[in-house]
Amino acid sequence: YGAAAGLLLFSLETQLKFLRQKIADSFGFLYVPILRFLFLLLTASVSWLHRHLLSDAVAISLVVVAFVNLYAMCCYPEYEDEREVLAREEDRRLGSLMQKEVTKQAARQVRTESDWL
């Protein structure tokens, strides 16, 4: 459960469009400050139950992150709006880069095929 929760949190923070939409649909509670706080505390308790030095360090870190996250999301709600704007700009930039790469690959493919003729 700990690894799945970690992967979910990592995927949430990557801000990739296709992941962001699926996570918002399936795990919308992560966008609500108090529910995200409780999820982080639950994840910390799962880690704490392993009773190993590394898992204890992860649990303590998750508790700290939970409180910092709660503070940031409650005191600075405009941060989420700014983050969404930045994510949309990044999506446009990546889409443009991908379109250029596809065009370049297609041109290279056409040149390669014409060499065979």
Side-chain angles (χ1 to χ4, degrees):
Y1 292 114
L7 186 60
L8 175 63
L9 290 170
F10 175 78
S11 300
L12 174 72
E13 296 298 330
T14 59
Q15 291 299 315
L16 295 174
K17 184 178 184 177
F18 66 95
L19 284 176
R20 190 174 64 239
Q21 291 172 342
K22 289 181 183 181
I23 291 172
D25 290 342
S26 302
F27 303 99
F29 65 90
L30 291 173
Y31 293 94
V32 179
I34 193 69
L35 295 177
R36 186 178 203 166
F37 173 76
L38 292 173
F39 177 74
L40 287 168
L41 289 181
L42 177 68
T43 306
S45 69
V46 168
S47 181
W48 186 263
L49 290 174
H50 288 289
R51 301 304 307 161
H52 186 271
L53 182 62
L54 182 61
S55 63
D56 290 350
V58 168
I60 292 168
S61 298
L62 280 169
V63 169
V64 170
V65 166
F67 280 102
V68 170
N69 235 327
L70 183 64
Y71 174 78
M73 290 176 82
C74 289
C75 293
Y76 303 102
E78 66 276 359
Y79 169 75
E80 190 66 35
D81 299 332
E82 182 66 28
R83 196 170 123 177
E84 189 62 35
V85 168
L86 291 173
R88 274 192 243 113
E89 288 174 6
E90 185 68 13
D91 289 342
R92 278 194 296 270
R93 188 183 71 77
L94 286 174
S96 173
L97 285 173
M98 288 174 60
Q99 183 63 33
K100 287 178 185 176
E101 185 63 29
V102 166
T103 304
K104 187 175 16 172
Q105 292 290 335
R108 188 178 305 146
Q109 183 72 24
V110 168
R111 273 186 272 136
T112 303
E113 287 177 2
S114 66
D115 289 344
W116 283 93
L117 297 175

